[in-house]
Each structure stands twice: as C-alpha cells, then as structure tokens.
Amino acid sequence: MARPPRAWQRMLSGRRLDLLDPTPMDIEVEDIAHGLAFVARWNGQTRGDHPFSVAEHSLVVERLYATLYPGAPARWRLAALLHDAPEYVIGDMISPVKAAVGPGYKELDTRLQAAIHLRFGLPAVLPGTVKSRIKRADRISAWLEAVQIAGFSEAEANRFFGRPPAELAREMRLPLRAPVEVRTDYTRRVAELLAEC
C-alpha cells in the first residue's frame, strides 16, 4: 500500500508544521519572518537589486493601516502585519495563478491563517470591518508597488487596484532592502505590537 504524500514542512526553528492541520503551537514568528523575507512579490518581476518581499509588503500594509485608521488597536495593526503570513509556507501567488489553482489554495490559506491568528492572540476569523480595512491597505500597497517597482502605469494600476488617496500616492516611497534586514524589522515589529496588545 502506497504511503500518503508528506503534508508537513520542517521549519528552521525545528517545528514540524502540518499543512493540512496546522496548530498554533507549531508556529514561530522567526519562521514566518524568515520565510516571508525570502518570498518575492510579483513573482520577482520588480526593479532593484533586492526583491520586494512579502515581509516588506506586510510592513507597508501595517504602516498604511495605522495611517488610514489612526488610533486602531494594536491587535488589528498586528492582524494587518500578519495578513499574508501563510505565504511563509505556501508562497506568494499572483491573483491569476490563484484563480487557476482554484479553491484548494484558499482553503489551505484559511487554515494556516486561523492557526497563525490564534498563535498571536487574535481571533481565528477577523471581524468583517477589520478584514475590509486590511484589504484597503493591501490594495493601496499593491498600487504603490505596481507603479513604483513593477512597471505598471498609473492608469493601469488604477484599473486593477483602485486609485489610492493622493497624499499616499505622492508621499509614500517603498524601500528595497536585503532580506536579512527586512526579516529583522518584521520580527521586531511583531514583538512591538504584541507588547501593545
């Protein structure tokens, strides 16, 4: 009888994360930060000497969330920072690939996200308002990335991601940094937000 395929991954922390049944106890911030710092957004098709990583994107989204919703509780800023955390294991797929893969990707992402949320003291499923606010910050980040580093015209980015507030489009510059620097900042920011929660 054939053995079922392996559905877990060994993490650098030594944890063994079951992808089909992830538990909060097998999730470590260092694993998330390391993985996300080495996962390139836009399939790596960005300008610069370093890829624009999912960790950097997540830091930008958290900053945008705090700018758009001043006074938002630290727990929801933490949720914004962790919004793409499952990609430390499953990678970042551009939307057209997600659509082609189908609902299986979304189910895996949802299970991992719930375990990550619980690990960091957040509800497994976020309130709808918080989710939509994070999505707004995420789309603004995508617009900035598209225009500043991914070769989109503003008109094209407006079509796909919506036009961001003019002051953000004009003033916010995206950093392109080495993965080790981004990993350190991501880990530090999680710790800062947890201390505020």
Side-chain angles (χ1 to χ4, degrees), residues 134-154:
I134 291 171
K135 189 66 188 162
R136 180 178 179 214
D138 188 38
R139 291 178 67 80
I140 292 170
S141 183
W143 188 94
L144 293 167
E145 294 165 34
V147 169
Q148 290 181 27
I149 59 174
F152 284 57
S153 69
E154 286 194 18

Side-chain angles (χ1 to χ4, degrees), residues 33 49 62 89 129 147:
D49 294 332
E62 189 264 329
V89 178
T129 355
V147 169

Side-chain angles (χ1 to χ4, degrees), residues 35-55:
L36 294 183
F38 286 91
V39 174
R41 295 262 299 160
W42 305 93
N43 284 342
Q45 299 302 305
T46 54
R47 298 183 183 105
D49 294 332
H50 298 290
F52 190 79
S53 70
V54 175

Side-chain angles (χ1 to χ4, degrees), residues 62 71-79 122 192-197:
E62 189 264 329
R75 67 190 314 221
W76 301 144
R77 287 181 283 139
L78 178 61
L122 298 170
E192 289 169 354
L193 290 168
L194 282 172
E196 286 183 47
C197 287

Side-chain angles (χ1 to χ4, degrees), residues 1 18 23 28 49 61-62 69 71 82 105 132 137 157 163 167 185 193:
M1 181 192 262
D18 183 337
T23 67
E28 298 291 343
D49 294 332
V61 169
E62 189 264 329
Y69 309 104
L82 295 170
Y105 178 88
S132 66
R163 178 102 182 126
E167 66 279 3
D185 283 356
L193 290 168

Side-chain angles (χ1 to χ4, degrees), residues 36-164:
L36 294 183
F38 286 91
V39 174
R41 295 262 299 160
W42 305 93
N43 284 342
Q45 299 302 305
T46 54
R47 298 183 183 105
D49 294 332
H50 298 290
F52 190 79
S53 70
V54 175
E56 191 76 77
H57 162 78
S58 299
L59 288 162
V60 170
V61 169
E62 189 264 329
R63 199 162 80 234
L64 285 165
Y65 188 92
T67 300
L68 293 165
Y69 309 104
R75 67 190 314 221
W76 301 144
R77 287 181 283 139
L78 178 61
L81 183 60
L82 295 170
H83 81 284
D84 278 340
E87 294 178 9
Y88 87 106
V89 178
I90 58 178
D92 180 41
M93 287 192 209
I94 58 173
S95 297
V97 175
K98 287 179 187 173
V101 170
Y105 178 88
K106 185 64 181 162
E107 290 167 16
L108 180 58
D109 182 78
T110 300
R111 279 194 301 269
L112 283 164
Q113 191 71 69
I116 290 164
H117 281 171
L118 293 173
R119 168 66 177 84
F120 295 103
L122 298 170
V125 178
L126 297 175
T129 355
V130 174
K131 279 183 78 162
S132 66
R133 287 176 170 188
I134 291 171
K135 189 66 188 162
R136 180 178 179 214
D138 188 38
R139 291 178 67 80
I140 292 170
S141 183
W143 188 94
L144 293 167
E145 294 165 34
V147 169
Q148 290 181 27
I149 59 174
F152 284 57
S153 69
E154 286 194 18
E156 194 175 26
N158 291 346
R159 229 177 16 259
F160 291 113
F161 308 111
R163 178 102 182 126

